[in-house]
Amino acid sequence: MTGLNSVTVGSAKEVCLVRVFHEKFAAIHEQQSATDGGDVNIWVKEASRLLSEQWPKGGTVAVYSEKIIQETNYGTSTELYALPCSYILVEGNRCIGHGRLTECFESAGGNAAAATFIVVSHNVRGRGFGSLLMSLLELEAERLGFHYIYLWTRTAIGFYEKIGYTKCERVSLKRACLKKLASNEVESLEAVLIKHRATIGDTPALRTTNEWHRQKETILLPPGDDESGDAEDVWLRKRLVEQVGSIHIPLKNRLEEMKIAFDAHPRSNELEWCYRILLVPWQAQIGPSCGLAALRMTREYFLTRALSESANENQHLPSLLGEAQERGFTKDGEVFDANHLRQLAAETCGIDCDTLSVKELTPQRVERILADGGLFILPYDSNGRTRLPAKFNGRRAHYGIIVGMAIGLETEAATNVESIFPRLRQLQENERDYAFSSESRENTYLFVQQSLSSNLSIASWSDFMESNDQLVCVDETKFGSTTLDLRDRIIVCRRLHPHVLSDS
């Protein structure tokens, strides 16, 4: 069988990965029908046998292995389709392997798929087909828009680590009934299930009851998989994509966000909000890389201001993730030291920047830097649901960019009554002294752009500063034992170094 996914390995026979759907199949990326190379029904039966042999005590896998392969998305397009889907690795005219992709939750940002029911025939093991199967699955997952692949195993940890997978925390598969839930809502649901499981207990007698089987069929893992549900399982993941493209959000959208935030203020009818905001291109983070995403957004903003759009597109930025890994700053994008992020900003991105003390910062200074076109990168704890500053002692530490601010001034009537955004206007040069005359910071709000949501995080000055002041430790369940050096740290970014522009 030939096709764009054919590759020569081992005995030099051609190999192809085919997608199974509704008792038919499509060769990945192939335009013509691939059925000329063999009978899909035979391949499905062979794959079913492989699954049953791999998990002979797997219950659901053993009994319904053929149904597992066929229960997939029924779309016939070879370009775009939804998961879950099963894939069969075919050499010549015989099935030699099987893998399945399904969506899963990625709490750190990005889209993730899980690779399940991975098996290669005993007859061809040791010839590179396992690595080939995973490589083809990874390519297809990336083509479908996924940024990570997760999996779990007990016996093949070394194999997966050899092909680039690293140990990670457990995630949840996206079953159809859960796809509308956010990752934090799924975490809450899992906590309830775990508590319920602990209450019921794990006894031999209970294992024979229907209640035990209902426990095993949780939202965490597929029921009946012999490699699921127990403490011995080791979860691993592999990053497929370092970054995604940025988008430009119009001022009108930002003004609408401000209006919503300030309408909820207890003195909304008494204050007129004078704002200053910079329109910074927004980029979603992939994995725990909020700091790296903040640097990319900051650099693109400075380039956009200084150069034309076409020149900006021709700018090549070295891999921030690769540079951070090479310097020993990160494993997968997380940066726990503000000084490390500043070094990347200055030395890799070419940004004129410094690390300052948050306690020495004033609203006047922030407004002055913003007026000059500068930005601030601020670490704080982020609420997983609202994305607003919170207090988790650093366990939800997140980097955001201060792109603007607003000051509530007392006024008898709105001076901007004809605007679609009454009581909301730009801060004027001649108002600065008056705006900052009060020592109170109660009505000073910051606009923070962060990479987990395209919406601004709009909260009071004190909320952001107090959140920063309690950043003392990381979430050890996710990142292990490491030092967090973000408290009383903020990075001021003024402009690009002249040599960056001269090289454009």
Side-chain angles (χ1 to χ4, degrees), residues 392-408:
F392 296 107
N393 294 320
R395 293 180 178 85
R396 298 284 179 87
H398 192 65
Y399 288 99
I401 308 170
I402 300 178
V403 298
M405 65 187 304
I407 302 169

Side-chain angles (χ1 to χ4, degrees), residues 15-65:
V15 176
C16 187
L17 185 71
V18 299
R19 175 171 69 95
V20 177
F21 60 92
H22 200 37
E23 300 183 347
K24 297 180 181 180
F25 74 96
I28 303 305
H29 301 309
E30 277 195 287
Q31 298 301 315
Q32 72 278 10
S33 172
T35 55
D36 296 338
D39 188 337
V40 67
N41 293 312
I42 294 177
W43 290 343
V44 167
K45 291 184 180 299
E46 290 177 346
S48 173
R49 177 181 54 79
L50 291 179
L51 290 170
S52 299
E53 290 176 352
Q54 182 68 18
W55 293 283
K57 299 179 181 179
T60 303
V61 175
V63 178
Y64 299 109
S65 55

Side-chain angles (χ1 to χ4, degrees), residues 3-208:
L4 297 180
N5 265 348
S6 296
V7 64
T8 301
V9 296
S11 61
K13 292 184 179 181
E14 292 182 325
V15 176
C16 187
L17 185 71
V18 299
R19 175 171 69 95
V20 177
F21 60 92
H22 200 37
E23 300 183 347
K24 297 180 181 180
F25 74 96
I28 303 305
H29 301 309
E30 277 195 287
Q31 298 301 315
Q32 72 278 10
S33 172
T35 55
D36 296 338
D39 188 337
V40 67
N41 293 312
I42 294 177
W43 290 343
V44 167
K45 291 184 180 299
E46 290 177 346
S48 173
R49 177 181 54 79
L50 291 179
L51 290 170
S52 299
E53 290 176 352
Q54 182 68 18
W55 293 283
K57 299 179 181 179
T60 303
V61 175
V63 178
Y64 299 109
S65 55
E66 191 167 331
K67 186 178 179 182
I68 287 173
I69 299 171
Q70 296 183 21
E71 279 190 347
T72 185
N73 176 266
Y74 287 175
T76 59
S77 169
T78 60
E79 294 302 316
L80 293 175
Y81 53 89
L83 299 182
C85 276
S86 280
Y87 304 84
I88 296 176
L89 189 66
V90 177
E91 181 194 36
N93 194 27
R94 59 172 181 157
C95 165
I96 60 171
H98 172 272
R100 186 169 174 85
L101 291 177
T102 188
E103 290 185 72
C104 63
F105 289 94
E106 170 53 68
S107 60
N111 301 320
T116 62
F117 302 114
I118 303 297
V119 61
V120 171
S121 171
H122 286 277
N123 297 330
V124 298
R125 291 185 183 180
R127 294 167 52 190
F129 288 113
S131 300
L132 175 62
L133 173 60
M134 293 307 301
S135 176
L136 292 173
L137 287 174
E138 291 160 11
L139 287 173
E140 184 62 6
E142 181 179 347
R143 191 182 71 83
L144 292 174
F146 293 97
H147 307 130
Y148 277 99
I149 281 194
Y150 283 81
L151 54 83
W152 67 91
T153 183
R154 295 180 186 175
T155 58
I157 301 170
F159 164 75
Y160 288 115
E161 287 181 330
K162 185 178 179 179
I163 60 174
Y165 286 77
T166 57
K167 294 178 183 178
C168 65
E169 62 177 338
R170 187 176 194 162
V171 298
S172 298
L173 304 187
K174 281 190 177 181
R175 296 180 182 275
C177 61
L178 300 174
K179 287 190 176 183
K180 292 185 178 180
L181 298 181
S183 59
N184 62 299
E185 294 173 317
V186 175
E187 290 175 2
S188 299
L189 183 56
E190 286 178 342
V192 173
L193 288 174
I194 292 171
K195 183 177 180 180
H196 176 63
R197 193 170 188 169
T199 302
I200 295 175
D202 182 3
T203 64
L206 184 60
R207 292 175 188 263
T208 62

Side-chain angles (χ1 to χ4, degrees), residues 160-380:
Y160 288 115
E161 287 181 330
K162 185 178 179 179
I163 60 174
Y165 286 77
T166 57
K167 294 178 183 178
C168 65
E169 62 177 338
R170 187 176 194 162
V171 298
S172 298
L173 304 187
K174 281 190 177 181
R175 296 180 182 275
C177 61
L178 300 174
K179 287 190 176 183
K180 292 185 178 180
L181 298 181
S183 59
N184 62 299
E185 294 173 317
V186 175
E187 290 175 2
S188 299
L189 183 56
E190 286 178 342
V192 173
L193 288 174
I194 292 171
K195 183 177 180 180
H196 176 63
R197 193 170 188 169
T199 302
I200 295 175
D202 182 3
T203 64
L206 184 60
R207 292 175 188 263
T208 62
T209 67
N210 290 333
E211 183 61 41
W212 168 257
H213 293 293
R214 285 197 293 270
Q215 286 186 67
K216 293 289 285 184
E217 197 165 344
T218 67
I219 63 179
L220 289 169
L221 300 166
D225 184 348
D226 192 44
E227 286 219 291
S228 65
D230 297 319
E232 297 98 329
D233 293 330
V234 175
W235 280 78
L236 303 102
R237 73 176 179 183
K238 184 175 183 178
R239 178 188 283 267
L240 305 178
V241 177
E242 177 175 343
Q243 66 183 81
V244 294
S246 58
I247 61 174
H248 294 265
I249 300 175
L251 176 60
K252 181 181 178 181
N253 294 38
R254 293 310 194 196
L255 291 174
E256 289 173 348
E257 294 175 41
M258 295 181 210
K259 183 179 183 301
I260 293 172
F262 295 138
D263 281 350
H265 192 278
R267 299 181 61 196
S268 60
N269 294 327
E270 305 172 22
L271 300 175
E272 185 175 51
W273 296 94
C274 301
Y275 70 87
R276 185 179 298 283
I277 188 168
L278 303 175
L279 297 180
V280 177
W282 179 78
Q283 182 184 116
Q285 70 182 69
I286 302 300
S289 55
C290 54
L292 302 185
L295 288 187
R296 294 190 192 100
M297 289 187 277
T298 300
R299 187 179 191 272
E300 184 175 347
Y301 161 74
F302 286 136
L303 277 173
T304 302
R305 290 187 69 215
L307 305 172
S308 67
E309 288 292 337
S310 59
N312 186 18
E313 291 174 0
N314 293 330
Q315 280 286 318
H316 175 69
L317 178 64
S319 168
L320 272 179
L321 177 61
E323 184 70 19
Q325 290 172 332
E326 186 174 329
R327 295 178 181 225
F329 294 167
T330 187
K331 291 182 178 179
D332 191 36
E334 67 285 353
V335 180
F336 298 121
D337 189 326
N339 285 316
H340 289 167
L341 195 67
R342 182 199 59 76
Q343 289 180 48
L344 291 171
E347 299 169 15
T348 304
C349 297
I351 297 173
D352 177 12
C353 59
D354 289 301
T355 304
L356 305 178
S357 167
V358 170
K359 295 176 181 178
E360 297 176 2
L361 209 60
T362 64
Q364 294 94 320
R365 187 173 186 183
V366 171
E367 194 276 334
R368 183 70 266 174
I369 294 293
L370 291 172
D372 291 338
L375 300 169
F376 294 85
I377 299 179
L378 173 70
Y380 63 97

